[in-house]
Amino acid sequence: MRPLAATIHVARDQYHLAWDASIAPIHRIQSGEVVAFDLLDASCGQIGTDATVDAIRTLDFSRVDQVNGPIFVEGAEPGDTLQVDILDMRPADWGWTAIIPGFGLLADEFPDPALKVWNLQGGWAEFVPGIRIPLEPFCGEIGLAPGAPGALSTIPPYRHGGNMDTKHLTAGATLYLPIEAPGALYSMGDGHAAQGDGEVCGTAIETPMRATVRLSVLKGLAIPQPQFLTAGPLAPRTNTARYYATDGIAPDLLEAARAAVRHMIDHLARTYGLSRPDAYMLCSVAVDLKVSEVVDAPNWIISAFLPQSIFTTAS
Amino acid sequence: MRPLAATIHVARDQYHLAWDASIAPIHRIQSGEVVAFDLLDASCGQIGTDATVDAIRTLDFSRVDQVNGPIFVEGAEPGDTLQVDILDMRPADWGWTAIIPGFGLLADEFPDPALKVWNLQGGWAEFVPGIRIPLEPFCGEIGLAPGAPGALSTIPPYRHGGNMDTKHLTAGATLYLPIEAPGALYSMGDGHAAQGDGEVCGTAIETPMRATVRLSVLKGLAIPQPQFLTAGPLAPRTNTARYYATDGIAPDLLEAARAAVRHMIDHLARTYGLSRPDAYMLCSVAVDLKVSEVVDAPNWIISAFLPQSIFTTAS
């Protein structure tokens, strides 16, 4: 890959822990300039390659999901749109996935902490022998400062972006974000080496990331919430074989999502002998949630799709 | 394609309008036998190739979503699983899509009826010049009789299947359904030539279908709700180029789904000059709803994915 001519470099310690237009920008750029970010993992460096589950027990949540920036883009005004061309995403050679008590789609069913540390060398993440996830890296956090005064948590996403945890924002994709504050005030973080649609246990394959983006102001285009153009066909490294899918059918979409994941955990435990916490973490990094139907009242269907391509010895 | 040795033929008038274990089976088969169904469209023949929107205004809802069968499979007992190998799906050379007042994800925003009649010859459905949908045919209705006495509507899906409207159940897929009634009592219907995940306006490209399946009883395997193995990589005819996606961000998944579709309708109207009803129907037949994240409380994201491959002249 040819080197990218980054004009601005953001260091790993240039982060903040809230979305807030009063945070002073670390750089001011012209529309169309390229920025390269050196990002710690989403634990802000609290979890390392030698971490054990104790690191989850003692995790300081006030330091989680830091984002690096903000970048002030000249000419950006409320009502404009910021175009983010995602040029490059380079994960570190290691990552982690955790079950964090109180967090995740099935938090009530998984009260105990768990931690998996991954080796990411060679473009794959081996879960156990015979199961490996291809890396399709992206950043969970991409956002702008809010227009209203005050500080917002970095945990949820908002109309101005934030913790969108959208796996399809890989290198080559273009993201559009509504600008609320003068200068847009762009920040990013939360590197993910791979994730399923939904990120069901609350963590992906979390990893330090080198991320490079081009930021451009689109005047006179207003969008209501984030939109994006993917890099190409979806999930090119995983959508190469059959999928096994489990349905969750319920009158409420959240309950349908919970049922679909619960059924997939049962399937993984029964078919591959995984422990239930391991199966839950595997769902979070590799299983995609789709809305199969949301019109046949009163019952909706969320389906959880497990790519068979991750099983190196299976059908 | 080589002809399939169907042992049983079900005629288009051998249908029923409820899931009910008291409906007498039309055939009794051994486990592993093949059944070929000749299916009217989901309007039960009320809508034809020359239909106008008046056919929607006068639609008799009591005759909608008929299913053909039931087939009694010898040896099937409550607690077993029925394996449905989907061998062949052959749509007719025409189909229809409608906005039916009171039905669909945005029913409150689209109070007026609309109808689109499609030509499906050649393996494609042309929406307007420059926009064409590849056919990936399946049946919306695949199900078994309930175990409890009484009649259930064919409109919703249940744990024993029914109107699952799952686009990935194409030829080559294998579906697993929980058996509740002796003999399983299998029926199917609701041919779809193509659909997006979600079927957001409430109808797909509805079409008469010739469907062939093999029905096998799996003794001693109990599953909680439907599960399936897809035929291969997902959406092989549409996942060939980039996707444009619109996010819906909200504390409720249903509201997030509604917002994502609303934003996609705006995008289609602005970018391609479609009327809002046309854009809504195009979403239903071609746009996929994914759960991007459902863990970053309090805001979840549903994303609506528009395949750029349907635009024959576009990026």
Side-chain angles (χ1 to χ4, degrees), chain B residues 57 74 105 122-123 156 187 210 219 231 234 253 300:
Chain B
R57 291 196 179 93
E74 299 287 355
L105 184 60
S187 301
R210 291 290 303 250
K219 304 297 290 185
L234 303 181
L253 277 180
W300 319 139

Side-chain angles (χ1 to χ4, degrees), chain A residues 10 16 49 51 85 94 110 125 137 143 153 163 169 208 240 263 268 272 302:
Chain A
V10 176
H16 52 103
T49 53
D85 294 303
W94 69 281
F110 288 89
S153 164
N163 199 12
L169 293 175
T240 59
H263 300 155
L268 288 165
Y272 304 99
I302 301 276

Side-chain angles (χ1 to χ4, degrees), chain B residues 156-201:
Chain B
Y158 307 94
R159 72 176 293 271
H160 43 89
N163 199 11
M164 299 185 292
D165 286 325
T166 299
K167 67 181 269 184
H168 304 283
L169 293 174
T170 52
T174 300
L175 171 67
Y176 303 94
L177 293 172
I179 295 173
E180 294 197 354
L185 299 171
Y186 176 93
S187 301
M188 68 190 305
D190 191 22
H192 290 172
Q195 183 198 292
D197 286 315
E199 201 193 20
V200 294
C201 92

Side-chain angles (χ1 to χ4, degrees), chain A residues 23-243:
Chain A
I23 295 173
I26 59 169
H27 291 289
R28 300 176 80 95
I29 68 170
Q30 300 298 315
S31 175
E33 285 196 276
V34 172
V35 187
F37 292 80
D38 184 7
L39 302 166
L40 287 170
D41 72 286
S43 77
C44 207
Q46 296 182 77
I47 298 173
T49 53
D50 57 352
T52 68
V53 69
D54 284 339
I56 304 303
R57 291 196 179 95
T58 60
L59 195 67
D60 178 357
F61 245 79
S62 70
R63 291 169 58 204
V64 162
D65 272 339
Q66 80 288 351
V67 290
N68 286 51
I71 305 292
F72 186 104
V73 186
E74 299 287 354
E77 295 293 337
D80 297 336
T81 290
L82 190 71
Q83 175 175 328
V84 183
D85 294 303
I86 298 169
L87 303 178
D88 197 29
M89 286 282 166
R90 300 194 185 197
D93 62 3
W94 69 281
W96 59 273
T97 300
I99 298 175
I100 301 172
F103 194 59
L105 183 62
L106 299 178
D108 51 332
E109 300 177 24
F110 288 89
D112 298 321
L115 178 68
K116 161 82 182 169
V117 175
W118 305 80
N119 179 340
L120 305 184
Q121 292 174 326
W124 297 85
E126 186 179 79
F127 189 69
V128 293
I131 305 180
R132 65 178 196 174
I133 319 293
L135 305 192
E136 297 185 307
F138 68 99
C139 277
E141 292 266 10
I142 307 180
L144 309 181
L152 296 177
S153 164
T154 58
I155 300 297
Y158 307 94
R159 72 176 293 272
H160 42 89
N163 199 12
M164 298 185 292
D165 286 325
T166 299
K167 66 180 267 184
H168 304 284
L169 293 175
T170 52
T174 299
L175 171 67
Y176 303 95
L177 293 173
I179 295 172
E180 294 198 354
L185 298 171
Y186 175 94
S187 301
M188 71 190 305
D190 191 22
H192 290 171
Q195 183 199 293
D197 286 315
E199 201 194 19
V200 294
C201 91
T203 55
I205 298 181
E206 309 290 329
T207 182
M209 186 79 80
R210 293 288 304 249
T212 307
V213 298
R214 177 182 286 112
L215 304 179
S216 307
V217 179
L218 301 181
K219 305 296 291 186
L221 173 67
I223 56 173
Q225 291 189 336
Q227 305 188 355
F228 54 96
L229 190 62
T230 68
L234 303 181
R237 294 192 67 195
T238 44
N239 189 29
T240 59
R242 305 173 85 171
Y243 283 70

Side-chain angles (χ1 to χ4, degrees), chain B residues 8-32:
Chain B
I8 302 291
H9 180 82
V10 176
R12 65 180 62 186
D13 62 353
Q14 294 181 294
Y15 64 78
H16 53 103
L17 284 154
W19 296 107
D20 185 339
S22 74
I23 296 173
I26 60 169
H27 291 289
R28 300 176 80 95
I29 67 169
Q30 299 299 314
S31 174

